[in-house]
Amino acid sequence: MLTPRLPQGLPEYDWGTAPTDQLATRRQLRAARLRPGGHGPIAILRCRACATRPQRTCTRPAYLYRRDLARPVRPMTLAKEAALDKAMAARTTCPVCLRRFHHCLPLRTIGSRLECHEGTPADPDSFIAPAVPAAVGPTVHRLAA
């Protein structure tokens, strides 16, 4: 363990030196189906590149949480799943052809999928189903998750 160098004043561990039976990152907790449980980080894990420069402040720190205070993740509710699906639908639906694709579209840069921008047809295997506007027919709900 090193002396704190970040403004948080938390103890720091170099890469590979943190006690893995007591501390874990958020991703490690999530892989174990746990969440921090309301408590803040108690230590900082310095990245591998900063391990060779002990006097330098780490540019990519990972926060460490106590495993014994971690709680199980909350179960996914239907409302939460519907909200996440609605958010993903906004990122994967082309506003020009109204098709929902299996990947996120470059809507911020060109405003539609590349094929609609250039005028070429879409591959039928790349999209889920055409979206039906509310004025044309009933709305069909298909959760992706």
Side-chain angles (χ1 to χ4, degrees):
M1 187 164 61
L2 300 173
T3 57
R5 282 184 292 279
L6 293 177
Q8 293 94 339
L10 298 173
E12 295 182 0
Y13 290 94
D14 280 329
W15 185 265
T17 61
T20 57
D21 58 335
Q22 300 170 1
L23 302 176
T25 63
R26 277 188 177 266
R27 287 190 181 197
Q28 291 169 340
L29 289 176
R30 187 65 177 183
R33 310 274 301 150
L34 299 171
R35 60 185 170 96
H39 73 281
I42 62 160
I44 295 173
L45 179 66
R46 292 167 48 92
C47 66
R48 188 178 294 175
C50 292
T52 59
R53 303 177 200 106
Q55 299 305 318
R56 182 178 173 211
T57 301
C58 185
T59 57
R60 296 179 307 255
Y63 294 102
L64 296 172
Y65 301 89
R66 288 180 47 183
R67 284 187 184 265
D68 59 342
L69 296 179
R71 295 184 182 153
V73 293
R74 294 184 185 114
M76 179 73 72
T77 62
L78 288 177
K80 189 183 227 183
E81 187 176 358
L84 290 173
D85 187 64
K86 185 177 178 182
M88 279 307 294
R91 297 177 64 194
T92 58
T93 303
C94 178
V96 176
C97 65
L98 298 177
R99 292 183 180 137
R100 186 167 177 184
F101 289 84
H102 297 291
H103 57 276
C104 293
L105 302 175
L107 299 176
R108 285 188 181 178
T109 54
I110 61 176
S112 65
R113 65 185 184 94
L114 187 60
E115 289 81 5
C116 283
H117 184 70
E118 294 175 347
T120 57
D123 180 23
D125 294 331
S126 65
F127 57 90
I128 298 172
V132 178
V136 175
T139 304
V140 178
H141 297 285
R142 296 182 187 183
L143 294 177

